[in-house]
Amino acid sequence: MSTSTPNVSRRQRASESDLIAEDLAIQFDDSEQGSDPDGEDHPFTQQVPVVQKVDPENLCMVVDDASMTYRVRSSTGNKESGGRIARGLKKITGSGWAEVHALSNLSFIVNRGESVGVIGTNGSGKSTLMKLLTGKVRPTSGEVYATSTPVMLGVNAALVKEISGRENIRLGCLAMGLTPEQTAAKYDQIVEISGLTDALEMPLKTYSSGMSSRLQFAIATSVDPDILLIDEALNTGDAQFRARTKERLDEVRANAGAVFLVSHSLGTIKQMCTRVIWIEQGEMLADGDPQWVCSQYEEYTSHKSNGRKRAAKVVYERTRLHLDPIKVDFASGSRPKK
């Protein structure tokens, strides 16, 4: 009795990881063929971190190998074997703690005058990164250094809904440390940026979410913050408002500040940012030119939304291979104290 092996192609027998590696090799071979005059075969691995000297006078923020892990209650394992009392306790308290890795080993440097966009799919770690940058939470490991206290602007920023927009402007400026005289001097600029001249006497509870976010942006940028963080606050408003916000952000950067903009609107990111950081699954995939990073992100999300998991993974790995890792090293005696 004889047996025969079905004629199965090599790509059918290969594992998923092998296919992804093969697709990556094909893409890089097509795009880089003839680029190496020596014809050497370079492995598909990330480059070794290179230490470069940075002017400390030009620094605005440094993220040094920061990771964030949350510990949450886990209810798994309640039906495992054990005594009746032990099973009852597990049902009440959970079987123990589970670790959720929100961010893993992020390192980057932001200089004065930069406008940095932060993109990523839902649950990728963008909001956690904003919490680290503002100092609301400390990283589980690593450090975050800033030359001044960052000002956070988001659609959930607190404003008093029962009073008018005019009074919210006054209270907001006073809360940020401006004197009544400085508030009066900034009032016209705030109104102009917000574009809410006809609605200032109305209670804030009558404002739409877009109107509220425009007012928040105008108030937050009235103090010329050294570091400004904006979380989804510029996705509303017409073209005129976006033009005014871009002009104001340019002024903030010109005054030796840095701006972080978190948004799902790639058009806003491309228009207003000089650099884009892409975070996915808690890891930094890209940090560079807005046009290139956004194009990779669009291709990745297109594959994912259409169920093309392997194609999305190829884009993921391809983008990660282009990332130049950063290693932060302080000169002797220059590391900031905690």
Side-chain angles (χ1 to χ4, degrees):
M1 179 177 180
S2 62
T3 60
S4 61
T5 303
N7 185 18
V8 181
S9 66
R10 184 178 61 84
R11 289 187 65 86
Q12 289 177 319
R13 296 195 305 267
S15 66
E16 188 75 11
S17 59
D18 291 336
L19 294 178
I20 292 173
E22 181 178 328
D23 290 339
L24 279 171
I26 293 173
Q27 288 193 16
F28 274 87
D29 182 64
D30 290 341
S31 61
E32 298 179 2
Q33 186 174 7
S35 59
D36 189 349
D38 298 329
E40 296 182 0
D41 185 20
H42 299 284
F44 297 115
T45 56
Q46 287 181 294
Q47 299 179 12
V48 177
V50 177
V51 179
Q52 297 179 343
K53 291 185 178 181
V54 179
D55 183 7
E57 299 296 327
N58 197 38
L59 284 179
C60 205
M61 180 167 283
V62 176
V63 177
D64 183 10
D65 199 27
S67 298
M68 188 66 200
T69 301
Y70 294 104
R71 297 185 72 239
V72 297
R73 280 287 187 182
S74 172
S75 60
T76 59
N78 286 337
K79 297 183 179 180
E80 294 178 357
S81 60
R84 180 171 57 86
I85 297 177
R87 290 197 300 269
L89 288 175
K90 287 181 179 181
K91 290 181 179 179
I92 297 174
T93 63
S95 62
W97 293 94
E99 292 188 346
V100 178
H101 301 284
L103 293 174
S104 301
N105 307 110
L106 263 63
S107 294
F108 59 87
I109 297 173
V110 178
N111 294 314
R112 298 185 181 276
E114 287 192 295
S115 180
V116 183
V118 181
I119 61 175
T121 56
N122 290 330
S124 60
K126 303 187 299 298
S127 297
T128 300
L129 176 60
M130 292 299 104
K131 292 178 181 178
L132 295 185
L133 297 183
T134 57
K136 289 184 177 180
V137 296
R138 288 186 59 85
T140 307
S141 62
E143 296 293 339
V144 177
Y145 305 100
T147 56
S148 64
T149 302
V151 175
M152 180 68 181
L153 170 66
V155 294
N156 295 321
L159 291 178
V160 183
K161 296 183 178 181
E162 286 72 24
I163 63 177
S164 67
R166 183 186 302 276
E167 289 301 311
N168 268 290
I169 292 176
R170 187 178 68 86
L171 290 178
C173 291
L174 293 176
M176 290 188 297
L178 296 181
T179 65
E181 292 77 16
Q182 291 173 326
T183 300
K186 293 282 188 179
Y187 180 81
D188 291 339
Q189 173 189 316
I190 295 173
V191 173
E192 181 182 357
I193 294 176
S194 67
L196 299 174
T197 305
D198 298 332
L200 290 178
E201 302 302 331
M202 300 168 56
L204 194 69
K205 61 184 178 182
T206 64
Y207 286 23
S208 66
S209 60
M211 295 169 66
S212 297
S213 65
R214 288 157 62 182
L215 184 61
Q216 292 162 17
F217 173 82
I219 294 173
T221 57
S222 64
V223 294
D224 295 324
D226 192 44
I227 304 175
L228 176 62
L229 284 70
I230 307 173
D231 190 358
E232 297 289 358
L234 300 182
N235 290 344
T236 56
D238 53 20
Q240 291 182 341
F241 173 67
R242 290 195 294 270
R244 290 193 298 269
T245 56
K246 184 179 186 305
E247 181 179 353
R248 181 59 185 143
L249 290 180
D250 289 341
E251 292 177 0
V252 172
R253 290 192 289 109
N255 292 329
V259 178
F260 288 85
L261 173 58
V262 180
S263 178
H264 286 287
S265 173
L266 298 184
T268 301
I269 291 289
K270 293 177 185 178
Q271 182 182 13
M272 298 188 177
C273 298
T274 59
R275 167 184 171 191
V276 173
I277 292 175
W278 175 9
I279 297 178
E280 196 65 34
Q281 302 174 20
E283 298 182 352
M284 181 187 295
L285 280 191
D287 181 4
D289 176 68
Q291 296 292 334
W292 185 83
V293 176
C294 288
S295 67
Q296 302 304 304
Y297 179 75
E298 286 180 305
E299 184 179 356
Y300 173 78
T301 54
S302 175
H303 289 316
K304 287 201 69 175
S305 62
N306 288 282
R308 298 188 292 266
K309 296 182 179 180
R310 198 178 83 208
K313 187 64 175 177
V314 169
V315 177
Y316 180 98
E317 295 295 339
R318 182 187 65 202
T319 305
R320 188 170 62 89
L321 291 174
H322 281 86
L323 177 66
D324 293 326
I326 298 292
K327 179 181 179 182
V328 179
D329 191 14
F330 292 90
S332 177
S334 64
R335 178 180 291 274
K337 296 182 180 180
K338 297 182 181 179

